Amino acid sequence: LKGGDPFVFGRGGEEAEELAAAGIPFEIVPCVTAGVAVPAYAGIPVTHRREAVRLTLVTAHEAAKSGGPQVRWEHLAADPHGTIAGYMGVTQLESVVRELLASGMDPNTPAAVVERGTTSSQRVVRAAIAELPRAAQQARVRPPALFIIGPTVRHAEQLEWFSRRPLFGERLLVPAPAGPLGEALELAGAEVVESPLPVTPAARAVLAALPLSGCVLRSADEVESLDEERDGPRWDAGVAAWCLGAGAAQAARRRGWRLVEELPAQASAAEVAGAIRRKHP
């Protein structure tokens, strides 16, 4: 299982060959690679008619290879109508920029770094290519991150849709089935983690991937089932318990949840989303 597309810098080809050599049946499922998906979530089209007609996907560590990089930076630097999407780009960003500028790229070329793209923790830093390493360092950008260089980056100012949603930044646990409630929260911009109860090891791993901002709880039983999970990673005292009904709220307070927000038991999905938005604008 891979994030993004298994054949784009995921070593999927090598692993599939090992399976084939061992006589193990396999299936390859094409997906959306980060080099396209992450810019889209930052409002950056990787191509644009008459402006960017080529897209190059590169691994940033190629800029630091002592034996000479496989990437022809001089060709990329000389192409004013191309977009460069660089994977694993935080530690080698300065080297990449140095290679491109030394090869003649316009220092005012628009560029961006996107940290944890497509998630509730997404952060975007935009600057001219010559200033991007310093801007990323000042913002303390950390892996995983992807950089985008090219004229289409300037469209982000108008097209940055993801971070403008009202619940952007919220990562909410909703016990399964989330149903219309989960759909409404996602539509408002929250990252919804739907988990079975009791929590399975797989769900626990997903919950631990990024910090939670809250849980939406519809009964005292859901509160009880999740209480022991609060000792896990990515849970802290700031995780809010959004409780539908007095029963769930009383159970959360009894269990020592620090932030308990009680909502009417029959609150609609839209009302729940609105309450979270008002509390955390």
Side-chain angles (χ1 to χ4, degrees):
L1 295 176
K2 298 286 185 180
D5 190 281
F7 278 6
V8 181
F9 302 129
R11 297 185 179 177
E14 299 170 43
E15 293 171 2
E17 287 170 347
E18 290 291 328
L19 294 173
I24 300 173
F26 58 88
E27 178 183 358
I28 297 166
V29 182
C31 300
V32 181
T33 182
V36 175
V38 168
Y41 267 66
I44 301 170
V46 292
T47 65
H48 201 283
R49 190 172 55 161
R50 294 190 297 271
E51 188 172 332
V53 296
R54 284 170 291 279
L55 169 64
T56 302
L57 307 178
V58 299
T59 53
H61 65 255
E62 286 290 334
K65 280 192 174 179
S66 58
Q70 294 174 283
V71 177
R72 300 297 298 273
W73 299 107
E74 69 275 16
H75 293 330
L76 297 179
D79 185 1
H81 299 292
T83 301
I84 306 170
Y87 295 67
M88 297 162 279
V90 175
T91 58
Q92 297 301 327
L93 180 59
E94 189 172 353
S95 298
V96 169
V97 171
R98 184 167 54 247
E99 291 277 359
L100 291 171
L101 293 179
S103 298
M105 176 171 277
D106 182 348
N108 293 313
T109 300
V113 174
V114 185
E115 178 185 309
R116 295 191 179 276
T118 78
T119 75
S120 56
S121 297
Q122 174 174 300
R123 290 200 302 150
V124 182
V125 176
R126 298 198 306 267
I129 180 64
E131 301 298 325
L132 189 63
R134 181 186 303 174
Q137 185 177 25
Q138 290 176 342
R140 297 184 178 180
V141 173
R142 296 289 181 267
L146 185 141
F147 64 76
I148 308 100
I149 301 169
T152 62
V153 173
R154 64 170 60 94
H155 294 284
E157 190 169 335
Q158 182 179 7
L159 301 180
E160 192 172 0
W161 60 277
F162 183 54
S163 63
R164 293 173 182 167
R165 288 178 158 186
L167 292 185
F168 171 74
E170 294 284 341
R171 190 169 192 259
L172 302 170
L173 167 60
V174 182
L181 175 59
E183 293 174 4
L185 293 172
E186 287 187 337
L187 187 62
E191 180 180 348
V192 175
V193 183
E194 186 174 357
S195 173
L197 297 180
V199 178
T200 62
R204 194 169 289 120
V206 173
L207 290 171
L210 290 170
L212 285 171
S213 60
C215 302
V216 182
L217 306 166
R218 293 162 292 196
S219 69
D221 287 343
E222 290 184 346
V223 175
E224 299 294 339
S225 294
L226 286 173
D227 191 66
E228 65 181 26
E229 301 297 328
R230 294 194 295 134
D231 293 330
R234 307 298 187 173
W235 291 68
D236 59 33
V239 175
W242 296 94
C243 299
L244 276 65
Q250 290 170 4
R253 293 188 183 102
R254 185 172 63 251
R255 283 293 190 175
W257 289 63
R258 182 177 174 186
L259 299 176
V260 179
E261 300 289 343
E262 183 175 339
L263 303 173
Q266 301 305 317
S268 68
E271 288 170 339
V272 174
I276 298 174
R277 177 182 180 182
R278 288 190 297 273
K279 194 70 176 182
H280 299 282

